[in-house]
Amino acid sequence: MDMKIEKGISIPIKRANSKNNFAAILRSMEVGDSILFDRTIIKPSSFYVCAGRLGLKITVREIDEKQSRVWRTE
């Protein structure tokens, strides 16, 4: 395998659905706040896992065939 060292390559910005972004979104939400998201891009379980790690309570409901909404409940 041929590999070469490259210099000056920028590190890409993290993807919008990374764990850090989920945490930032959930932390900034107050009880009763909600956000709409595309289930074809982001799995609802991603929000549940992140909220659990942060000690937050959420609920997710399907809105239509592609979208869901997550609410902060506690």
Side-chain angles (χ1 to χ4, degrees), residues 1 4 9 11 27 30 41 45 48 55 63 66 70-71:
M1 179 187 290
K4 73 176 193 176
I9 307 295
I11 299 172
R27 279 191 198 109
E30 295 179 9
I41 298 171
S45 61
Y48 282 112
I63 302 302
K66 291 185 180 180
V70 59
W71 284 266

Side-chain angles (χ1 to χ4, degrees), residues 7-58:
K7 298 184 185 294
I9 307 295
S10 299
I11 299 172
I13 295 172
K14 289 185 178 184
R15 291 177 35 184
N17 62 352
S18 70
K19 292 178 197 173
N20 291 339
N21 288 336
F22 286 136
I25 290 167
L26 291 173
R27 279 191 198 109
S28 66
M29 292 173 72
E30 295 179 9
V31 173
D33 288 351
S34 69
I35 58 168
L36 189 66
F37 65 95
D38 187 335
R39 277 195 320 280
T40 64
I41 298 171
I42 302 170
K43 294 179 182 177
S45 61
S46 300
F47 284 103
Y48 282 112
V49 169
C50 188
R53 289 181 180 156
L54 295 172
L56 303 174
K57 301 285 184 182
I58 63 166

